[in-house]
Amino acid sequence: MHLYQKIASAALIGLALLGHARAQESDPYLWLEEVHGARPMEWVAARNAASLGELQARPEYKEIRQSVQSMLNSSARLPDVTMHGGLLYNFWVDANHQRGVWRRTTMAQYRRAEPAWETVLDLDQLAANENEKWVWHDVVCVSPKSERCLVLLSRGGGDAHVVREFDMASRRFIDDGFTLPEAKTDVAWLDRDTLLVATDFGPGSTTASGYARVVKEWKRGTPLSAAHALYEGKADDMRVSAEKKFTPGHAYQFITRTVNFYSTELFLCEGGKLAKVPVPEDAQTYTLDGQLLIQLNSDWDVNGVHYPEGALLATDLRRFMRGARNFAVLFAPTPASSLDGVTVTRGALLLNVLDNVRNRLVEARLVKGQWRQRKVDAPAFGQLSATALDALASDDYILKVTDFLHPTTTYLASVGSDQRTMLKSMPAFFDGDAYTVQQFHAVSKDGTQVPYFVVMDKRARMDGSNPTVLNAYGGFQLPMKPYYLGPMGDAWLKHGGVYVLANIRGGGEFGPAWHQAAVKQNRQRAFDDFLAVAEDLIARKITSPRHLGISGRSNGGLLVGAALTQRPDLFNAVVCGAPLLDMRRFSKLLAGASWIAEYGDPDDPEQWAYIGKYSPYQNVRPDQHYPRVLFTTSTSDDRVHPGHARKMAARMQEQGHDVLYWENTEGGHAAAASIAQEVQWWAVTYSFLLEQLK
């Protein structure tokens, strides 16, 4: 670097530091970050009353509320199931079970139109008995018989949960069983009397992101304080966790140190000793029989052989740990295809390939030491998902098929055969034949082709008058795929609304490179892609700025916040849900530190120089005209701090902009802890959009 470049760079850093410090001092809304403080909650109550008072008075509100409530309470919805101990379990929420009921049945019963279910745990009754607002999180059962399970329950829907041991035969919590207090806990069974626990063990045992950095082995009948430490990560790591992976004939105990969102270290734990598994730190791993499966997120050159990012490799685990580096390539990406997921059954892998944002399945089996593959003749819909029924006992799996207009259907399938039995089909909640789905491509600022789907009435005119909502995510390598629109049929499509789903960079639609193209200093590319889609919709006269709205949640909330501040002329409505908006402070709020690998570090002046250019909270101006915004969030969201939405709404109101704000007191990052709350979200959101865009 030349001397004048060094001087200029130092000056820029100095200015960034000065601006950073001044911004720290000049934020008048820091008090809104006190989640449950009296003053912030008074502010929330006032905003909620004003917003709901306006929205509930709109004619569409009651209609949407009634139609969505009918759908979400319908007994004809598909009950998703998992198998434990030979029985099928389902967590079900309806009008009579607002918090939900955990229930079970047999496969023979499940195949019937009206299965006979046995209640295992009634969360509404439990919440009433214990005077707690319990929200179901998950269940972790001991292998292979699942006679004992750990039930994970959250207060209000946050990520933190309590852990309680449950006996499946008696359908009761075990009074003297394993229990853990509320925390962001990772827990797994080592055997019936031993747990692997990563939780808040006290001062110094959690990371800056609020997750555990210590994993211990805890024996039944001993206090948690006596648990034996197996591994301790660093304070600035994201988290640590442990698990025991079972596969026929093999069982492996692993400890994972998650350095950041995309960097991990994997250790094989045997005989009380840890051996690092020498895979790339950004790779994902699976096991099948004695094989180690490695899914690459970056290029890997080994012994003169190049393996591309996005590939799936297989090798013998024991030989690999002894130094062998011979791999079978089970999947290699193409410019239009990526590996969307891997399902492990008793003796096979189901590779879920995303090809131009549509799924297809491929089976992979190890036969006499050689991998064999077979394309699965699955229905040609938009999205396929495969879930192993019992990965230790069989090669059966449940295939779920769906797209924007066709209700989800599930089938019982088996590896090696294209014959399958239909299990359940959800009824149509709107007339899909009245609409059409098209895939278009927009050209982003740097020339990149960005695909997007458009769902609209077949009779719609291309005259720019169609009320249109554009949705995207664009982060954390998560693909946005076709899904059944369900409630949106009544809430939006039947009113002449057009729905658009954009597959912008930052997501995982085309593999790791599509994601990595928009991280850290390249984040603007995701925003440019989104804006390019908006411009393309207008150029095609599908809609116009007067009738175009945008919607996004979480990272998608950041996306629409950036679009709002960068191109307010393109839109007439913005729904910004559970958003990140103050990017200068995101790393200091709740789990925010864990996302530095995605966005960069705002405390580093060089990185703040590019983050600060798009951070919505720092870029909203009083002299700019903005479309009307509806901010939504949850008080109990312990992942993305509600302070982001609160402060942005307060700042925009102070500047004279027209905004609405609604904060649900429960629901966590999912925004709703019951059907009633979810129904209200639909009614609030789509009555707002209809008013603004029709």
Side-chain angles (χ1 to χ4, degrees):
M1 184 182 287
H2 294 294
L3 178 60
Y4 74 86
Q5 290 176 311
K6 292 181 178 179
I7 294 172
S9 177
L12 286 172
I13 293 172
L15 287 171
L17 275 170
L18 180 61
H20 188 275
R22 286 176 176 172
Q24 289 269 89
E25 296 169 359
S26 61
D27 185 353
Y29 296 111
L30 281 175
W31 59 275
L32 285 169
E33 293 181 4
E34 187 183 356
V35 176
H36 297 287
R39 185 184 174 200
M41 290 310 295
E42 288 177 5
W43 181 92
V44 168
R47 303 287 93 69
N48 279 357
S51 298
L52 290 176
E54 175 184 332
L55 295 172
Q56 289 174 346
R58 293 179 176 172
E60 300 94 345
Y61 183 92
K62 185 177 181 180
E63 179 185 349
I64 294 172
R65 187 181 182 93
Q66 289 175 340
S67 63
V68 173
Q69 182 170 289
S70 176
M71 293 178 199
L72 296 184
N73 281 323
S74 171
S75 61
R77 288 177 294 124
L78 289 187
D80 290 329
V81 292
T82 55
M83 181 169 277
H84 303 294
L87 295 174
L88 298 179
Y89 286 75
N90 162 257
F91 188 75
W92 184 258
V93 178
D94 60 23
N96 297 320
H97 305 93
Q98 284 289 315
R99 297 197 174 271
V101 57
W102 190 33
R103 57 188 190 171
R104 64 190 175 195
T105 192
T106 64
M107 176 57 79
Q109 281 288 333
Y110 186 70
R111 293 187 183 190
R112 296 183 177 184
E114 297 289 340
W117 293 96
E118 177 188 25
T119 297
V120 180
L121 179 63
D122 186 329
L123 230 62
D124 293 270
Q125 188 62 56
L126 183 70
N129 292 345
E130 299 182 350
N131 194 28
E132 291 280 5
K133 295 180 178 180
W134 289 127
V135 175
W136 180 265
H137 254 204
D138 202 359
V139 62
V140 182
C141 297
V142 63
S143 291
K145 297 182 180 180
S146 300
E147 69 272 21
R148 294 285 179 88
C149 294
L150 301 172
V151 174
L152 281 53
L153 300 173
S154 162
R155 290 183 175 90
D159 287 352
H161 50 254
V162 301
V163 178
R164 297 163 69 173
E165 188 176 3
F166 191 86
D167 181 72
M168 300 290 264
S170 64
R171 295 175 295 159
R172 298 176 65 88
F173 287 110
I174 301 170
D175 292 337
D176 59 349
F178 288 116
T179 60
L180 290 164
E182 188 174 55
K184 293 183 178 181
T185 298
D186 280 297
V187 62
W189 293 93
L190 188 57
D191 55 48
R192 183 184 165 110
D193 294 315
T194 315
L195 296 184
L196 299 170
V197 179
T199 190
D200 183 350
F201 293 104
S205 67
T206 58
T207 67
S209 301
Y211 299 102
R213 74 180 186 97
V214 179
V215 60
K216 296 185 179 184
E217 181 180 302
W218 185 22
K219 293 288 187 181
R220 185 182 298 281
T222 65
L224 183 62
S225 59
H228 171 62
L230 298 176
Y231 183 79
E232 182 173 329
K234 297 180 179 179
D236 58 354
D237 287 346
M238 180 179 167
R239 70 199 307 169
V240 299
S241 59
E243 63 180 324
K244 189 172 183 179
K245 291 186 176 182
F246 293 90
T247 185
H250 304 272
Y252 306 103
Q253 183 181 340
F254 291 105
I255 290 176
T256 301
R257 173 198 176 204
T258 304
V259 180
N260 59 50
F261 224 91
Y262 307 109
S263 180
T264 62
E265 289 184 343
L266 184 67
F267 300 91
L268 181 63
C269 185
E270 293 183 308
K273 296 182 179 180
L274 299 182
K276 185 176 179 180
V277 182
V279 297
E281 289 191 355
D282 59 354
Q284 296 171 260
T285 59
Y286 314 87
T287 57
L288 174 67
D289 293 332
Q291 294 280 302
L292 176 68
L293 292 307
I294 307 168
Q295 185 175 342
L296 299 178
N297 278 303
S298 58
D299 293 343
W300 196 25
D301 294 302
V302 185
N303 293 344
V305 181
H306 176 76
Y307 300 101
E309 65 179 4
L312 180 67
L313 313 179
T315 188
D316 182 276
L317 174 59
R318 296 299 178 192
R319 293 176 184 173
F320 181 74
M321 294 301 292
R322 292 195 296 266
R325 295 295 180 266
N326 302 313
F327 302 103
V329 180
L330 303 187
F331 175 81
T334 70
S337 68
S338 62
L339 189 58
D340 190 31
V342 177
T343 300
V344 181
T345 69
R346 176 177 173 81
L349 300 173
L350 290 165
L351 311 183
N352 198 339
V353 179
L354 197 58
D355 202 336
N356 200 24
V357 205
R358 291 176 173 85
N359 286 120
R360 56 184 174 85
L361 289 181
V362 178
E363 294 174 2
R365 303 180 73 179
L366 190 62
V367 181
K368 296 181 180 179
Q370 297 295 318
W371 284 95
R372 300 285 184 260
Q373 294 198 1
R374 187 184 77 87
K375 294 181 180 179
V376 178
D377 183 17
F381 279 64
Q383 183 178 161
L384 304 174
S385 65
T387 304
L389 202 57
D390 187 336
L392 290 178
S394 78
D395 282 320
D396 293 341
Y397 62 96
I398 292 178
L399 176 66
K400 183 183 290 187
V401 183
T402 191
D403 74 357
F404 290 116
L405 302 179
H406 297 87
T408 304
T409 302
T410 60
Y411 300 86
L412 179 62
S414 188
V415 171
S417 173
D418 289 326
Q419 300 298 312
R420 57 183 67 90
T421 302
M422 191 181 84
L423 292 173
K424 301 288 179 185
S425 182
M426 189 164 63
F429 288 124
F430 64 93
D431 180 12
D433 292 338
Y435 305 96
T436 181
V437 178
Q438 299 179 74
Q439 188 180 38
F440 298 109
H441 288 77
V443 180
S444 193
K445 188 175 183 180
D446 62 0
T448 299
Q449 294 276 328
V450 181
Y452 65 94
F453 292 100
V454 176
V455 185
M456 63 191 304
D457 195 300
K458 291 178 179 178
R459 301 166 297 176
R461 296 179 180 179
M462 298 298 193
D463 59 2
S465 66
N466 299 299
T468 301
V469 59
L470 167 61
N471 179 251
Y473 187 76
F476 297 93
Q477 205 172 325
L478 295 176
M480 299 294 282
K481 299 176 289 185
Y483 63 97
Y484 185 54
L485 294 180
M488 193 175 290
D490 262 9
W492 184 245
L493 297 180
K494 87 168 189 180
H495 294 280
V498 176
Y499 177 70
V500 181
L501 183 65
N503 303 114
I504 64 177
R505 282 175 290 183
E509 289 87 347
F510 299 101
W514 193 250
H515 165 246
Q516 292 162 10
V519 299
K520 291 188 173 180
Q521 69 270 23
N522 295 319
R523 197 73 193 174
Q524 183 61 40
R525 290 175 178 168
F527 310 144
D528 290 342
D529 290 358
F530 190 67
L531 296 172
V533 172
E535 291 176 327
D536 201 59
L537 290 166
I538 295 167
R540 294 179 189 274
K541 294 189 176 180
I542 292 173
T543 192
S544 60
R546 162 66 183 83
H547 300 287
L548 178 57
I550 53 178
S551 176
R553 292 192 72 257
S554 192
N555 174 75
L558 169 62
L559 170 69
V560 299
L564 165 74
T565 53
Q566 293 181 17
R567 289 296 307 276
D569 57 303
L570 290 178
F571 317 109
N572 196 39
V574 179
V575 177
C576 187
L580 287 91
L581 294 168
D582 182 356
M583 296 303 290
R584 187 183 52 73
R585 285 184 53 77
F586 84 89
S587 59
K588 296 177 174 62
L589 300 174
L590 299 175
S594 63
W595 308 322
I596 288 175
E598 179 81 7
Y599 303 119
D601 185 353
D603 288 332
D604 181 328
E606 291 186 355
Q607 295 181 62
W608 173 247
Y610 60 75
I611 298 170
K613 289 180 180 179
Y614 69 76
S615 180
Y617 187 61
Q618 279 74 32
N619 283 285
V620 65
R621 305 198 312 268
D623 58 346
Q624 175 68 58
H625 173 73
Y626 295 106
R628 202 173 196 204
V629 187
L630 168 64
F631 294 100
T632 66
T633 189
S634 168
T635 311
S636 61
D637 190 341
D638 57 357
R639 191 182 312 173
V640 176
H641 199 291
H644 286 278
R646 291 176 179 180
K647 295 199 302 178
M648 187 72 169
R651 174 162 285 182
M652 290 190 72
Q653 285 184 324
E654 176 203 14
Q655 293 178 352
H657 305 302
D658 190 4
V659 303
L660 292 174
Y661 182 89
W662 177 60
E663 180 173 318
N664 188 23
T665 56
E666 284 191 273
H669 195 55
S674 67
I675 284 181
Q677 292 172 12
E678 186 176 352
V679 166
Q680 188 170 31
W681 178 89
W682 277 97
V684 164
T685 298
Y686 282 89
S687 59
F688 167 77
L689 287 170
L690 285 170
E691 176 73 13
Q692 292 298 119
L693 302 179
K694 285 192 73 174

